[in-house]
C-alpha cells in the first residue's frame, strides 16, 4: 500500500535523490487523493537550513539560478548602454537581489544619470525590503536611483498609470510569469508590456508543461523536471548533504502544488519556452536569442546552449529544464 511504499522510500532518502523525489511525489499524491499528509515529519527539523542560507546557495551555486541571472543581468546592462535615463521594470522583484547585482554592474555605464526601478511583487514584506535595499545604493553609484513599488500580481498592473516611466524601458521577468493563472491574462500582460515599447524584455522560465490539464501527463512532466533538478543539486560542489536535501525539500513545495492540489488551487503553472515565444511573437515582439551570452557552456552536468526555437536552454541529459528568452 501507499504507506508501505512511502516507508520504503523514506528509509535512506537522505543519501538517495530518487528516493527523496519519490517520497515528495507520494506525499503530494496522497494529499490529492485523501486531502491529508503522510509522513509529515519529513519537514519537521530533519534538515536545519535557514531560508537565507538556502537562497544564498540558490543564487551563488545552483547553476540554473546562478547562470540565468548572470546571463540576464549582463544583457540588461548592455541594453542600458548609451542611455542617460533608464526605467527597469522588475516583475516579481522579491527582495531585490537581482536588481542589486544589476545596479552594481551599471556603475560603469558612462552616460547613465538616472535609474528608475519599478518593482512589482505580490509579497509586501519582500517588496518593502527591496525598496530599502535598492534606495540604499544612492550615494554609492554615479547616478540617481528612484523606486516605485507595486504590491500586486503583474496581471493586475496598469503600466500606463505608473508615473516616471522615462528613458529606455527594460522589463525583467525572472521566474514570475508562470504564476499568472490564465491564458487570457498571460496574453494581456504581454500585450501591456508591448505597449511600453521596451528596449528589452527578458524572461527566465522553467521549460516544462505543468499547465497541462491531464494529470498523468503532468505527473510525468513533473517527475522528469525535478529528477533533473535533484541530480544537478547532487553535483553542486562545496555544499554539504544536509543543505542539498534542504534544497530538494524547498522544491518539494512546488511538487506539492503541481501534483497535490486541485486545478483551481494551483499556483506553479509552468509552460514550455515555445509557448512564451509564441505569445511574444503574437504581440509583435522580435525574439533576439543572439543577444544572450553565457559565461560557461557546461557545469554540474548542465549544458547551456542556444536553441533554434529562440531561447537559451539549460539542459541536463535529455531534459531542458530552464529557458532564458530575450525579446524587443
Amino acid at each position: 500500500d501507499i504507506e508501505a511504499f512511502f516507508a520504503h522510500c523514506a528509509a535512506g532518502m537522505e543519501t538517495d535523490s530518487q528516493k527523496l523525489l519519490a517520497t515528495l511525489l507520494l506525499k503530494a499524491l496522497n494529499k490529492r487523493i485523501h486531502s491529508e499528509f503522510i509522513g509529515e515529519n519529513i519537514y519537521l527539523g530533519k534538515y536545519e537550513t535557514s531560508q537565507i542560507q538556502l537562497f544564498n546557495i540558490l543564487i551563488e551555486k545552483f547553476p540554473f539560478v546562478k547562470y540565468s541571472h548572470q546571463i540576464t543581468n549582463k544583457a540588461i546592462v548592455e541594453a542600458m548602454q548609451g542611455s542617460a535615463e533608464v526605467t527597469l521594470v522588475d516583475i516579481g522583484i522579491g527582495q531585490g537581489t537581482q536588481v542589486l547585482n544589476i545596479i552594481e554592474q551599471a556603475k560603469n555605464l558612462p552616460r547613465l544619470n538616472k535609474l528608475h526601478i519599478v518593482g512589482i511583487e505580490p509579497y509586501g514584506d519582500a517588496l518593502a525590503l527591496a525598496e530599502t535595499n535598492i534606495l540604499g545604493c544612492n550615494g554609492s553609484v554615479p547616478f540617481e536611483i528612484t523606486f516605485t513599488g507595486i504590491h500586486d500580481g503583474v496581471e493586475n498592473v496598469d503600466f500606463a498609470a505608473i508615473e516616471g516611466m522615462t528613458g529606455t524601458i527594460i522589463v525583467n521577468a525572472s521566474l514570475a510569469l508562470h504564476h499568472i493563472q490564465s491564458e487570457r491574462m498571460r496574453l494581456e500582460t504581454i500585450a501591456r508590456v508591448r505597449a511600453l515599447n521596451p528596449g528589452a524584455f527578458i524572461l527566465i522560465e522553467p521549460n516544462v508543461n505543468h499547465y497541462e490539464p491531464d494529470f498523468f501527463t503532468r505527473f510525468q512532466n513533473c517527475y522528469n523536471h525535478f529528477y533533473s533538478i535533484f541530480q544537478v543539486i547532487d553535483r553542486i560542489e562545496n555544499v554539504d548533504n544536509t543543505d542539498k536535501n534542504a534544497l530538494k525539500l524547498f522544491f518539494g513545495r512546488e511538487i506539492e502544488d503541481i501534483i497535490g492540489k486541485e486545478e483551481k488551487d494551483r499556483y506553479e503553472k509552468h509552460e514550455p519556452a515555445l509557448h512564451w515565444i509564441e505569445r511574444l511573437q503574437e504581440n509583435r515582439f522580435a525574439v533576439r536569442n543572439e543577444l544572450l551570452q553565457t559565461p560557461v557552456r557546461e557545469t554540474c552536468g548542465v549544458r547551456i546552449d542556444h536553441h533554434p526555437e529562440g531561447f537559451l536552454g539549460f539542459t541536463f541529459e535529455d531534459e531542458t529544464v530552464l529557458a532564458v528568452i530575450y525579446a524587443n
Side-chain angles (χ1 to χ4, degrees), residues 55-113:
F55 280 120
N56 284 341
I57 295 168
L58 278 169
I59 291 163
E60 294 168 15
K61 298 189 174 178
F62 187 51
F64 299 112
V65 177
K66 176 181 178 180
Y67 291 110
S68 66
H69 277 192
Q70 282 187 21
I71 291 160
T72 301
N73 296 353
K74 188 173 192 293
I76 288 170
V77 173
E78 287 185 359
M80 294 163 71
Q81 287 274 6
S83 298
E85 285 193 25
V86 173
T87 297
L88 174 59
V89 180
D90 197 32
I91 299 168
I93 196 170
Q95 298 180 355
T97 306
Q98 188 180 6
V99 171
L100 291 171
N101 288 324
I102 291 166
I103 289 169
E104 179 62 30
Q105 289 184 40
K107 277 182 177 179
N108 301 319
L109 294 174
R111 292 201 58 206
L112 188 62
N113 297 325

Side-chain angles (χ1 to χ4, degrees), residues 123-142:
Y123 297 104
D125 291 348
L127 183 62
L129 189 58
E131 180 169 8
T132 300
N133 291 340
I134 288 165
L135 290 178
C137 295
N138 273 311
S140 65
V141 293

Side-chain angles (χ1 to χ4, degrees), residues 100-318:
L100 291 171
N101 288 324
I102 291 166
I103 289 169
E104 179 62 30
Q105 289 184 40
K107 277 182 177 179
N108 301 319
L109 294 174
R111 292 201 58 206
L112 188 62
N113 297 325
K114 182 178 179 182
L115 177 59
H116 181 206
I117 306 294
V118 177
I120 301 169
E121 174 58 50
Y123 297 104
D125 291 348
L127 183 62
L129 189 58
E131 180 169 8
T132 300
N133 291 340
I134 288 165
L135 290 178
C137 295
N138 273 311
S140 65
V141 293
F143 46 83
E144 178 194 1
I145 300 171
T146 57
F147 187 91
T148 299
I150 300 174
H151 180 203
D152 209 338
V154 67
E155 63 273 22
N156 303 319
V157 175
D158 178 7
F159 290 115
I162 302 170
E163 294 181 3
M165 299 266 282
T166 55
T168 300
I169 294 174
I170 297 167
V171 181
N172 180 53
S174 175
L175 301 172
L177 296 187
H178 62 262
H179 293 141
I180 301 171
Q181 291 298 292
S182 76
E183 168 69 19
R184 179 182 59 80
M185 288 191 291
R186 291 181 183 200
L187 269 170
E188 286 179 3
T189 301
I190 289 174
R192 287 200 299 273
V193 173
R194 173 71 272 181
L196 296 172
N197 195 26
F201 180 22
I202 304 179
L203 293 71
I204 301 174
E205 280 294 328
N207 179 59
V208 59
N209 198 346
H210 292 147
Y211 207 144
E212 169 61 55
D214 178 71
F215 179 78
F216 181 69
T217 305
R218 192 166 77 244
F219 186 95
Q220 286 183 302
N221 293 348
C222 181
Y223 177 84
N224 292 336
H225 183 74
F226 288 101
Y227 169 82
S228 300
I229 285 174
F230 283 20
Q231 291 296 313
V232 171
I233 290 171
D234 284 341
R235 288 162 169 75
I236 300 173
E237 293 180 352
N238 303 317
V239 175
D240 66 32
N241 205 47
T242 299
D243 286 348
K244 286 180 179 178
N245 284 330
L247 205 51
K248 291 167 190 171
L249 289 184
F250 172 84
F251 286 107
R253 298 169 205 174
E254 293 198 9
I255 293 169
E256 184 187 312
D257 183 282
I258 295 159
I259 298 302
K261 292 184 178 178
E262 293 301 325
E263 190 64 27
K264 62 181 177 18
D265 301 319
R266 290 181 52 229
Y267 186 61
E268 302 292 347
K269 295 187 175 178
H270 309 125
E271 283 191 278
L274 208 50
H275 292 194
W276 294 108
I277 288 170
E278 285 166 359
R279 288 192 192 101
L280 289 164
Q281 290 173 335
E282 198 172 320
N283 280 283
R284 304 183 321 284
F285 276 105
V287 176
R288 304 290 303 280
N289 204 9
E290 74 280 4
L291 297 178
L292 295 169
Q293 300 164 6
T294 178
V296 296
R297 285 288 169 199
E298 188 156 346
T299 176
C300 297
V302 178
R303 299 188 317 281
I304 305 174
D305 295 310
H306 289 87
H307 287 237
E309 298 89 346
F311 65 90
L312 191 64
F314 288 60
T315 304
F316 177 80
E317 294 179 352
D318 297 326

